[in-house]
Amino acid sequence: MEKQLFDVAIIGGGPAGLNAALVLGRARKHIAVIDEGRPRNAVTREAHGFLTRDGIRPGEFRRIAKEEISAYPSVRFVAETAVSIAGTDGRFQIETEQGQTIASKKILFAVGMKDRPLGIPGLAEVYGKSAFVCPYCDGWELRDQPLVIIVKGAGLMHFAPLISGWTNRFTVCTNGPDELTDTQREELQRHQVPLYDSPIRSIDSNEGIVQQVVLEDGTTVPCRGIFFQPELVTGSDLPRAIGCQMTEAGAVVVDEFGKTNVPGVYSAGDAASRMYQAIAAASMGAIVAAAMNNELNMEAWNRNG
Ligand SMILES: Cc1cc2nc3c(=O)[nH]c(=O)nc-3n(C[C@H](O)[C@H](O)[C@H](O)COP(=O)(O)OP(=O)(O)OC[C@H]3O[C@@H](n4cnc5c(N)ncnc54)[C@H](O)[C@@H]3O)c2cc1C
């Protein structure tokens, strides 16, 4: 492994990294997909909204993807954690936690995002089973159900109208000061949305299905589902460590082809966008792969001509 210089090391084997590997494998590039296998959606049983795969188990999605990519022999899978990167465009060296050194001309960060600790007692038990983060992913399954949404401030004024497309039976728990203006509070009242700002004491559930949200002031809000907005961080510190510019929200700053400010380094998927959906990540993986392939081909063309 140490002696081979891969064209691209893809760090992260979720939908973004795997689709990039498929495109680059078909383009006859030598690819190492380094993936430790800890995707953000590991908590969920079904992934929705991916045409031809609606409702698939996330693990099954990856299995099928790897099987398809295995048809292209220049793609190698490395089930390890990348812990450091040195070098520059044309020759990067990646060290893995397990002690391997992988050399590549270019890097693609497809490292996804990670949730910060959830912080509300009982939330971990229901996360991915009846508490979700994205109504496009899981709103259909909770349509017309009584829901609690745990959001505050400006985000709430986006989330409340959004969730009303799936159910009008929802209560807002801001888990502390609501951070709303009087006008925003009046808007919620006009739409008859109950609003509680008492901190959440706990979430009661039965086999992963939420039963009620219990507030510090003693209020209980019965419900069958929750949507909340966790705080996110980039799936790996490596993009920042190698000098990639990051947004305040922790995403890698890229151009429309996934190029970062560091020559030879690209990023795709959740790590480099705000549309946290598998098909969007896969699509970005494909676009970025084509851009990287183009750069590699042009470099070879110019070297040889
Ligand atoms: C609860 C939940 C439910 C969801 N449901 C849906 C749904 O129904 N439909 C939908 O479209 N989307 C859903 N999503 C969003 C979807 O999971 C993401 O948009 C998608 O997985 C992003 O793909 P990605 O390839 O960018 O990152 P990920 O799928 O997160 O993959 C990143 C990979 O990189 C690996 N990695 C990170 N750092 C390193 C490193 N240093 N070395 C090696 N490997 C590394 C991680 O372990 C992981 O395997 C859901 C998300 C959550 C949290």
Side-chain angles (χ1 to χ4, degrees), residues 1 43 69 104 108 124 133 135 170 181 187 263 281 304:
M1 178 79 68
V43 291
I69 295 165
S104 68
L108 170 53
V133 289
F170 66 92
T181 63
E187 184 179 327
N304 299 331

Side-chain angles (χ1 to χ4, degrees), residues 218-240:
T219 307
T220 55
V221 187
C223 61
R224 285 294 162 272
I226 290 175
F227 281 97
F228 71 107
Q229 289 192 316
E231 264 189 73
L232 299 175
V233 285
T234 326
S236 162
D237 294 333
L238 289 176
R240 194 188 299 272

Side-chain angles (χ1 to χ4, degrees), residues 12 14-16 35-36 38 41 47-48 62 82 127 137 270 276-278:
D35 182 51
E36 65 188 1
R38 280 197 227 134
N41 68 355
H48 302 105
R62 286 177 168 227
Y127 190 23
C137 301
D270 281 11
Y276 301 137
Q277 283 208 279

Side-chain angles (χ1 to χ4, degrees), residues 11-17 34-41 43-44 46-50 62 80-83 110-113 115 127-128 131-133 137-138 235-236 238 268-271 275-279 281:
I11 304 180
I34 307 168
D35 182 51
E36 65 188 1
R38 280 197 227 134
R40 196 174 149 230
N41 68 355
V43 291
T44 196
E46 292 182 352
H48 302 105
F50 200 118
R62 286 177 168 227
E80 298 188 9
T81 304
V83 286
V111 293
M113 297 295 269
D115 294 314
Y127 190 23
F132 300 99
V133 289
C137 301
D138 299 288
S236 162
L238 289 176
D270 281 11
M275 182 71 192
Y276 301 137
Q277 283 208 279
I279 201 156

